[in-house]
């Protein structure tokens, strides 16, 4: 009889957790025809790379005053999709099926947005959160209407890259001088 009560208690506990489903968001910043939220350098429009030390994260809340970090920081793409985030599902503390405000934040060379000195963020958009506990489950919210983020200037070139350009310029100049001497 005691094991039957334990079974009922466990079943009731699991049922109560399903009543508190968490909302989901599709964290993809490039979906052809609906989402184009690139993180880019303000002075050139070139996409920012995760290789440059940039991260992004979604902040979600019921209102503008309650935005909190959702999911984990994500490095921006460094391949052909530079400046964008590969799709992942972010679970929020808000219930599935509810409306939430979402903001994307980008920063460089810090463990989080709050401690970064170089950072930027989007304006808030409103989304209807996906609900995995619904029958049938609803799809995670897409970031339709989320603007891109313009961040600081393009990073300065490294000493090695400047030296390589200088060597190339000297080699080209020497080659041109030889052609001028032969022509005279």
């Amino acid at each position: 009889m005691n094991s039957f009560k334990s079974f009922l208690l466990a079943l009731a506990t699991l049922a109560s957790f399903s009543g508190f489903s968490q909302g989901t968001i599709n964290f993809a910043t490039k979906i052809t025809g609906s989402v184009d939220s690139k993180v880019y350098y303000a002075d050139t429009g070139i996409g920012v790379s995760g290789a440059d030390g940039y991260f992004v994260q979604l902040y979600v809340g019921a209102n503008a005053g309650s935005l909190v970090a959702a999911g984990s920081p994500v490095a921006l793409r460094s391949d052909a999709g530079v400046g964008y985030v590969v799709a992942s599902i972010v679970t929020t503390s808000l219930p599935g099926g509810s409306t939430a405000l979402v903001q994307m934040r980008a920063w460089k060379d810090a463990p989080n947005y709050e401690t970064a000195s170089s950072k930027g963020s989007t304006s808030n958009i409103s989304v209807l959160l996906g609900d995995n506990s619904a029958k049938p489950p609803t799809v995670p919210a897409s970031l339709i209407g989320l603007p891109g983020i313009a961040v600081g200037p393009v990073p300065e070139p490294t000493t090695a890259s400047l030296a390589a350009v200088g060597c190339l310029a000297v080699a080209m100049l020497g080659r041109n001088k030889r052609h001028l001497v032969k022509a005279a």
Side-chain angles (χ1 to χ4, degrees), residues 69-137:
S72 300
V74 178
L76 290 160
R77 291 179 64 172
S78 298
D79 57 6
V82 68
Y84 294 103
V85 173
V86 175
S88 63
I89 303 303
V90 174
T91 303
T92 72
S93 59
L94 298 172
S98 65
T99 300
L101 286 182
V102 176
Q103 180 184 77
M104 182 172 64
R105 298 181 183 178
W107 68 92
K108 181 177 182 177
D109 296 334
N112 57 47
Y113 179 82
E114 289 74 20
T115 61
S117 58
S118 177
K119 55 189 172 184
S121 65
T122 64
S123 54
N124 299 337
I125 62 166
S126 181
V127 299
L128 182 62
L129 298 173
D131 187 353
N132 286 337
S133 70
K135 303 294 183 229

